[in-house]
Amino acid sequence: MQHSGAAGARSYILFPLLGVLFQGVHIVLSLEINVDAHVRGYVGEQVKLKCIFKSTSSVTDKLTIDWTYRPPSSSRTESIFHYQSFQYPTTAGTFRDRISWVGDVYKGDASISINNPTIKDNGTFSCAVKNPPDVHHNIPMTELIVTERGFGTMLSSVALLSILVFIPSTVVVVLLLVRMARKSVGLKKRSKSGYKKSSIEVSDDTDQEEEDNCMARLCVRCAECLDSDYEETY
């Protein structure tokens, strides 16, 4: 029994960085990588694939980053990006000229982005980082799902635009109606008392009418903008 215990202890020493569960003991990895398990993208809109790593060693020019892609229902993997002191996006395949480097190795960021994604880009992406002597790490996977923007997304955009245009227009209309109502009440009181306006008051009334006309034109213009936005959306 003592011999068996010594063998177990030697086994722990032989695998110091593999990050495996051995006889109930979990060995801590020397390099840890974190990604988003699921990412949703939309056709034609740039999508970012995050990859954040933590290493026990300082970053050097020996650090390498490799992104691979595996289509749905397939075991075939495709290299789409490589980094070592400089970024090397793939120059062949479906991702040619569509992969951009958006990371910063000195901040532990190995992220990339896909330009003009399509539904054919759906699949599983993996990010591998090696920073010698830290070369052992977990293998995280990101599942990308690219879809067309649905009616619900378009509706929310239209609703937001409507709010931005409708609320200011409503405020202007309310203020205009309040001014017109006050002016009407004042005129009625003056007509009942036989009051005659002075030349200054007549000039003020003319300026007020011009201001009211300007506000009315502004309201009409806001309404026209709202109608045109709906027409362009649909």
Side-chain angles (χ1 to χ4, degrees):
M1 295 297 293
Q2 292 180 352
H3 178 72
S4 175
R10 285 195 297 271
S11 297
Y12 299 149
I13 296 173
L14 289 174
F15 301 97
L17 299 175
L18 294 184
V20 296
L21 189 64
F22 185 76
Q23 294 187 358
V25 178
H26 183 71
I27 306 301
V28 179
L29 296 168
S30 60
L31 198 155
E32 181 182 354
I33 300 177
N34 293 297
V35 302
D36 293 328
H38 302 279
V39 173
R40 177 173 292 278
Y42 297 100
V43 173
E45 300 180 22
Q46 186 183 69
V47 59
K48 181 178 180 180
L49 302 180
K50 293 182 179 180
C51 179
I52 306 300
F53 66 91
K54 293 181 181 179
S55 176
T56 58
S57 302
S58 300
V59 173
T60 68
D61 57 2
K62 295 182 180 179
L63 179 142
T64 62
I65 299 170
D66 287 283
W67 277 90
T68 57
Y69 164 73
R70 179 169 55 83
S73 305
S74 174
S75 59
R76 179 182 59 86
T77 60
E78 173 186 351
S79 176
I80 61 172
F81 182 85
H82 175 74
Y83 177 96
Q84 185 171 9
S85 298
F86 194 76
Q87 55 266 26
Y88 300 94
T90 182
T91 57
T94 58
F95 293 96
R96 178 181 178 181
D97 299 328
R98 295 198 296 126
I99 302 296
S100 299
W101 168 250
V102 293
D104 185 340
V105 294
Y106 296 102
K107 294 182 180 180
D109 190 348
S111 304
I112 61 172
S113 66
I114 302 175
N115 302 313
N116 299 316
T118 67
I119 295 178
K120 294 181 180 180
D121 296 336
N122 288 344
T124 303
F125 296 78
S126 62
C127 173
V129 181
K130 295 185 184 299
N131 184 36
D134 295 348
V135 296
H136 301 291
H137 58 79
N138 55 320
I139 308 295
M141 303 287 183
T142 296
E143 182 182 1
L144 174 64
I145 300 177
V146 179
T147 60
E148 296 278 359
R149 278 199 176 273
F151 177 76
T153 304
M154 295 175 59
L155 185 61
S156 62
S157 300
V158 172
L160 178 60
L161 182 62
S162 300
I163 291 173
L164 294 176
V165 175
F166 181 73
I167 290 180
S169 301
T170 303
V171 172
V172 172
V173 171
V174 171
L175 292 176
L176 180 60
L177 292 175
V178 170
R179 285 194 176 190
M180 293 176 63
R182 288 181 177 178
K183 182 179 179 181
S184 177
V185 172
L187 290 175
K188 287 180 180 180
K189 289 182 178 180
R190 291 176 182 178
S191 61
K192 288 180 179 180
S193 60
Y195 177 80
K196 293 184 178 180
K197 297 180 182 179
S198 65
S199 60
I200 297 177
E201 290 177 320
V202 171
S203 176
D204 291 340
D205 288 344
T206 302
D207 293 339
Q208 183 64 42
E209 290 178 358
E210 292 180 354
E211 183 178 350
D212 291 342
N213 291 335
C214 181
M215 294 182 67
R217 288 195 298 269
L218 178 60
C219 294
V220 172
R221 180 56 181 165
C222 290
E224 291 176 351
C225 290
L226 183 60
D227 292 338
S228 63
D229 288 333
Y230 273 110
E231 292 175 359
E232 291 176 0
T233 304
Y234 295 100

